[in-house]
Amino acid sequence: MIRLILNILTLVVLAVFIALNVSFETSINLFGFRYDNISTVAVIIISLVTGVLYSFIYYLLTYISKSEKSKIKHRHKQAKLKEKELKTKEKNIDKTVEERVKVSAPEQADPVDLELSETENKSKLPLKLFKSKKGK
């Protein structure tokens, strides 16, 4: 509501300014071309519109530049997060692969354990083979 009132007051002030200065004329030099007997109000309004357009274009380009920078930062952050996620997944995959290899590969016992188990499995020779001949 306040914005509407301020806009209306500004337009009224501008209309009064135009009405009071319509009869005044001036000459302008625009990049080497001289124009005579141009209304002062027209020069003021053209200058105002040109300034507003320039400000709008400048604002628009600045906004686009900032939005592109923020998009690049956002993409960079997402890339970093994905990189961390992929590293953790890679570590987990390496662990699972190692575990599965251990499970699927036959266990190899120590050579010492193998020899001990072989000697226990051999049948024991009967004692009478080793008895001395003195007893006969």
Side-chain angles (χ1 to χ4, degrees):
M1 183 71 173
I2 294 174
R3 184 183 284 177
L4 179 65
I5 293 171
L6 286 175
N7 284 338
I8 291 173
L9 287 175
T10 305
L11 289 175
V12 168
V13 168
L14 186 61
V16 169
F17 176 76
I18 290 171
L20 292 175
N21 293 304
V22 168
S23 61
F24 295 106
E25 294 179 345
T26 187
S27 300
I28 61 169
N29 185 356
L30 186 63
F31 302 113
F33 298 103
R34 185 168 177 90
Y35 299 101
D36 294 325
N37 299 329
I38 296 179
S39 173
T40 306
V41 175
V43 171
I44 292 171
I45 290 174
I46 290 172
S47 300
L48 180 68
V49 169
T50 306
V52 168
L53 287 175
Y54 175 79
S55 297
F56 176 73
I57 291 171
Y58 180 77
Y59 169 77
L60 187 64
L61 292 176
T62 304
Y63 176 77
I64 291 171
S65 173
K66 285 182 181 180
S67 66
E68 288 297 321
K69 284 181 183 178
S70 67
K71 285 180 185 177
I72 290 171
K73 284 182 182 179
H74 182 69
R75 287 181 189 157
H76 183 69
K77 286 180 183 178
Q78 283 183 339
K80 288 283 188 181
L81 289 174
K82 284 185 180 181
E83 182 181 351
K84 286 180 182 178
E85 183 179 330
L86 288 174
K87 282 183 180 179
T88 56
K89 283 184 179 180
E90 185 177 324
K91 286 180 183 178
N92 291 337
I93 288 173
D94 288 343
K95 287 179 183 177
T96 14
V97 167
E98 287 176 7
E99 289 173 2
R100 288 186 182 175
V101 165
K102 285 181 183 177
V103 168
S104 64
E107 288 188 33
Q108 302 221 356
D110 284 337
V112 175
D113 291 336
L114 288 174
E115 286 182 32
L116 285 176
S117 64
E118 286 177 10
T119 55
E120 288 176 6
N121 290 339
K122 285 185 180 178
S123 60
K124 296 183 181 178
L125 297 173
L127 289 178
K128 57 181 164 177
L129 291 177
F130 292 108
K131 287 188 178 179
S132 68
K133 293 184 179 183
K134 290 181 186 178
K136 282 187 174 181

